[in-house]
Amino acid sequence: MMHLADTLNFSGRKVVAAWASVPFPALRGSSLPDTLCAYQQDVPWKLLSSCREQRVSRCFAQSVVLRGICKERKQPPSPLHTCESTEQMLQHYLHTVFPGALSTSHVLEQPCSTLPPYPQFFSRLLTRQGFLLDKPPGYSSTAVESIPVLAALQSSPVLHALLSSLYKDLRKLNTRRLPSFFSAGVEQGDFEEALEELRTLSQCYETGFGAGDSEDEADSD
């Protein structure tokens, strides 16, 4: 994980944000292009890291893994449907939603197993294979045995507000009132240096577009 984060970061950045879709929102009988075409304005995964999601999808670099979705041959109504493989579909989608970002994608055919002792907290709208139904089944739903999953690590501007907020909270700390704070051997000068490095790191995730909003969010926290 550390090596992957290093690969995704450049220009002084060191932190990545985690995203996931558990399960991946694919309707039963639909193809991957059908699912991705429904999410042209937004992405079908949610932020797991403790950052505030941006209104605009953008990132510097990302690594995305999709498992449990296979390509289905259908009449090609969109460029996504003309891709030869599932991995090409996902890569095409990432380049469309995140133009200019360095994106890598990996596809695994094997879904994630949800057999016991995996908790059965899934909706009745899921089939046994973890695909979405249009409406709840008329019979008692069975246990979900597997689910398709998408996960992503992103070097993203959403981290600016998180790191900036952390810096401001630490800056307010009055270490003189906490004599045990440096009992581990950390010197005041080292603390100040680390604080400055954190501020510099947060600035590495700033972008010209929407940077002011991020600052306002950090201040409000």
Side-chain angles (χ1 to χ4, degrees):
M1 187 70 72
M2 183 182 301
H3 293 307
L4 179 56
D6 289 341
T7 302
L8 295 174
N9 282 303
F10 42 85
S11 300
R13 305 183 187 101
K14 301 179 180 179
V15 185
V16 292
W19 306 70
S21 181
V22 182
F24 183 71
L27 287 171
R28 182 179 61 175
S30 66
S31 64
L32 178 60
D34 294 335
T35 303
L36 294 179
C37 285
Y39 289 91
Q40 292 293 332
Q41 302 300 321
D42 198 5
V43 291
W45 57 82
K46 296 296 182 182
L47 182 63
L48 300 183
S49 302
S50 56
C51 314
R52 293 190 179 183
E53 292 195 45
Q54 301 284 321
R55 289 182 293 272
V56 180
S57 297
R58 61 190 188 277
C59 70
F60 307 113
Q62 63 184 339
S63 177
V64 180
V65 177
L66 174 66
R67 61 183 299 176
I69 299 289
C70 299
K71 176 178 171 59
E72 293 185 14
R73 295 287 181 181
K74 290 189 176 182
Q75 188 67 23
S78 75
L80 277 173
H81 290 77
T82 63
C83 295
E84 291 296 325
S85 66
T86 307
E87 190 160 354
Q88 287 179 0
M89 294 176 194
L90 182 57
Q91 192 71 25
H92 185 283
Y93 175 77
L94 294 175
H95 284 315
T96 301
V97 179
F98 301 96
L102 172 63
S103 298
T104 63
S105 60
H106 304 277
V107 174
L108 306 174
E109 292 186 6
Q110 187 71 22
C112 287
S113 174
T114 55
L115 294 173
Y118 199 96
Q120 289 293 316
F121 47 66
F122 301 107
S123 165
R124 292 183 62 220
L125 288 174
L126 284 186
T127 67
R128 183 178 298 179
Q129 290 75 34
F131 293 98
L132 292 173
L133 295 169
D134 293 325
K135 57 183 179 179
Y139 53 87
S140 178
S141 58
T142 57
V144 178
E145 298 179 353
S146 64
I147 54 173
V149 173
L150 185 145
L153 290 178
Q154 282 189 349
S155 175
S156 168
V158 299
L159 292 160
H160 168 67
L162 173 66
L163 297 172
S164 179
S165 177
L166 178 60
Y167 162 74
K168 291 177 180 179
D169 288 343
L170 290 174
R171 188 179 59 181
K172 296 175 183 176
L173 185 66
N174 189 347
T175 55
R176 295 179 180 178
R177 295 184 179 180
L178 302 172
S180 61
F181 188 78
F182 298 102
S183 60
V186 180
E187 300 293 337
Q188 179 68 33
D190 295 334
F191 176 74
E192 295 293 340
E193 182 179 351
L195 199 59
E196 181 61 24
E197 290 179 353
L198 179 60
R199 186 185 70 84
T200 302
L201 180 61
S202 71
Q203 292 175 342
C204 291
Y205 291 89
E206 277 189 300
T207 59
F209 178 75
D213 294 338
S214 298
E215 286 290 350
D216 293 339
E217 290 177 355
D219 291 339
S220 65
D221 291 340

